[in-house]
């Protein structure tokens, strides 16, 4: 178990590098990863969400009642800033329907567990980050399909019901199961949690490999445009989140948490939803896969900068 813990710590520390290497391999040597089926994506994401549930406790939700104003700010910011940035960038760069749908899906998804890790590394308000991620994830079955529909209704057909069911099945149910098991078997899950980074990073790497390898030709054909949009989307999310925190006069620790929570998305969920909601738009899965790689790199760099800023 000690060796597994060490391996898990190593994988967690170098997650960005590992995912980047896997993505590059899948893009330039797709044959090496084609054995990973895109039909596995939902199950892999369920594993990640189950792991998130195993780390949650009732205390993580206490912040909702202790600091409701902060949670409300985070919720409103999460479901307005990133979706609107996605829509604006998609229109400015003239993305075709599939890529536009994929970018907007990334924008309408809640934050992921990676934002909690990066907030911790940046010496930000971890409790606020976990609280925002938890609440926004619970709201996602309702807000993600609705906002996606509002932004894409004139471009493509959006199946809101299938998105709702998919989020419940892939996100809410696994998290709830993990949460319940952690509640009643805490002493066992505490030991298991030590190897969760290894399991989560493996699942995320497999998701990225599946999407990129099966769409490598299309990704290379799009050129740099999709990469530029994804990178701008993420960086602008950080910037607008931090500026919002500054306008609201939040302490530095909360500004860091807000910036990271808004800029980092549950892009694995976006990739999963793209296959469910837009089965005829193959390119819709691509932005989520690219975002998964990029936001781990940018998040690690931002955390390194933030940790040096005290106030």
């Amino acid at each position: 178990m000690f060796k597994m813990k060490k391996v898990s710590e190593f994988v967690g520390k170098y997650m960005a590098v590992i995912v980047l290497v896997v993505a590059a391999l899948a893009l330039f040597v797709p044959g090496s990863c084609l054995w990973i089926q895109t039909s596995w994506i939902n199950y892999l994401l369920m594993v990640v969400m189950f792991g998130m549930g195993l780390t949650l406790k009732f205390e993580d939700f206490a912040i909702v009642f202790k600091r409701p104003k902060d949670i409300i700010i985070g919720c409103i910011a999460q479901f307005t800033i990133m979706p609107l940035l996605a829509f604006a960038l998609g229109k400015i760069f003239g993305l075709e329907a599939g890529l536009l749908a994929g970018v907007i899906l990334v924008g309408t998804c809640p934050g992921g567990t990676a934002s909690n890790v990066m907030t911790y590394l940046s010496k930000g308000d971890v409790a606020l980050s976990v609280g925002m991620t938890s609440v926004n994830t619970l709201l996602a079955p309702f807000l993600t399909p609705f906002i996606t529909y509002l932004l894409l209704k004139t471009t493509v057909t959006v199946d809101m019901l299938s998105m709702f069911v998919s989020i419940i099945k892939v996100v809410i149910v696994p998290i709830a199961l993990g949460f319940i098991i952690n509640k009643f078997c805490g002493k066992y899950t505490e030991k298991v949690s030590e190897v969760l980074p290894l399991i989560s990073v493996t699942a995320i790497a497999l998701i990225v490999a599946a999407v990129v390898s099966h769409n490598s030709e299309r990704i290379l054909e799009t050129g740099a445009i999709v990469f530029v949009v994804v990178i701008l989307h993420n960086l602008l999310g950080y910037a607008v989140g931090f500026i919002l925190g500054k306008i609201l006069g939040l302490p530095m620790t909360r500004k860091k948490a807000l910036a990271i929570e808004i800029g980092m998305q549950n892009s694995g969920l976006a990739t999963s939803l793209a296959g469910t909601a837009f089965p005829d738009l193959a390119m819709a899965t691509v932005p989520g896969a690219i975002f998964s790689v990029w936001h781990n790199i940018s998040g690690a760099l931002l955390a390194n900068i933030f940790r040096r800023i005290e106030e």
Side-chain angles (χ1 to χ4, degrees):
M1 192 67 176
F2 177 75
K3 288 183 179 179
M4 285 292 287
K5 182 182 177 182
K6 284 294 182 183
V7 172
S8 188
E9 288 175 352
F10 175 84
V11 168
K13 184 178 180 180
Y14 294 101
M15 176 181 177
V17 177
I18 293 168
V19 175
L20 178 62
V21 170
V22 169
L25 182 67
L27 181 62
F28 297 110
V29 192
S32 63
C33 300
L34 286 175
W35 59 273
I36 309 167
Q37 302 301 312
T38 53
S39 59
W40 298 359
I41 291 174
N42 280 1
Y43 301 106
L44 291 168
L45 186 58
M46 288 167 77
V47 169
V48 177
M49 293 297 101
F50 178 71
M52 177 183 173
L54 286 176
T55 65
L56 290 177
K57 300 174 183 176
F58 277 114
E59 297 83 66
D60 295 323
F61 295 95
I63 192 173
V64 177
F65 306 100
K66 291 178 181 177
R67 291 155 55 186
K69 181 182 174 183
D70 290 342
I71 296 296
I72 291 170
I73 289 170
C75 176
I76 293 173
Q78 178 72 62
F79 288 109
T80 55
I81 292 171
M82 290 302 273
L84 292 175
L85 282 175
F87 182 77
L89 288 168
K91 292 300 183 181
I92 290 170
F93 285 88
L95 297 182
E96 56 94 6
L99 289 177
L100 177 63
V103 171
I104 286 177
L105 267 179
V106 170
T108 59
C109 281
T113 52
S115 63
N116 308 147
V117 176
M118 297 307 173
T119 299
Y120 169 75
L121 294 176
S122 70
K123 295 183 178 179
D125 191 330
V126 178
L128 176 60
S129 178
V130 172
M132 286 191 291
T133 299
S134 303
V135 172
N136 290 338
T137 299
L138 292 176
L139 291 172
F142 307 97
L143 293 181
T144 296
F146 178 66
I147 298 170
T148 302
Y149 171 76
L150 287 181
L151 297 177
L152 285 174
K153 63 181 180 180
T154 60
T155 307
V156 296
T157 301
V158 180
D159 189 342
M160 291 175 62
L161 180 60
S162 70
M163 287 180 68
F164 174 83
V165 172
S166 184
I167 296 173
I168 293 292
K169 181 176 70 175
V170 175
V171 177
I172 304 301
V173 171
I175 288 178
L177 284 174
F179 179 78
I180 292 168
I181 290 172
N182 188 35
K183 171 64 180 172
F184 294 103
C185 308
K187 62 179 181 180
Y188 299 108
T189 57
E190 193 173 333
K191 295 178 181 178
V192 174
S193 66
E194 294 177 348
V195 297
L196 282 179
L198 174 60
I199 297 169
S200 296
V201 172
T202 300
I204 291 168
L206 288 172
I207 289 171
V208 170
V211 175
V212 174
S213 63
H214 285 273
N215 294 282
S216 60
E217 192 174 328
R218 295 189 187 95
I219 294 172
L220 292 172
E221 284 174 0
T222 64
I225 187 75
V226 65
F227 292 93
V228 171
V229 170
V230 165
I231 291 171
L232 280 176
H233 191 200
N234 170 240
L235 296 182
L236 287 171
Y238 292 145
V240 176
F242 190 80
I243 292 168
L244 177 62
K246 202 171 181 66
I247 291 171
L248 295 172
L250 299 180
M252 181 56 70
T253 55
R254 296 184 195 180
K255 283 195 283 244
K256 293 175 182 178
L258 189 61
I260 293 172
E261 188 65 27
I262 291 172
M264 298 189 76
Q265 300 291 88
N266 190 339
S267 43
L269 175 59
T271 302
S272 170
L273 288 176
T276 303
F278 307 110
D280 298 325
L281 300 175
M283 291 301 288
T285 59
V286 172
I290 296 174
F291 201 99
S292 292
V293 179
W294 169 252
H295 82 159
N296 284 299
I297 297 170
S298 66
L301 293 173
L302 183 63
N304 193 40
I305 294 169
F306 270 171
R307 70 183 293 110
R308 301 175 189 177
I309 305 172
E310 296 298 332
E311 193 53 65

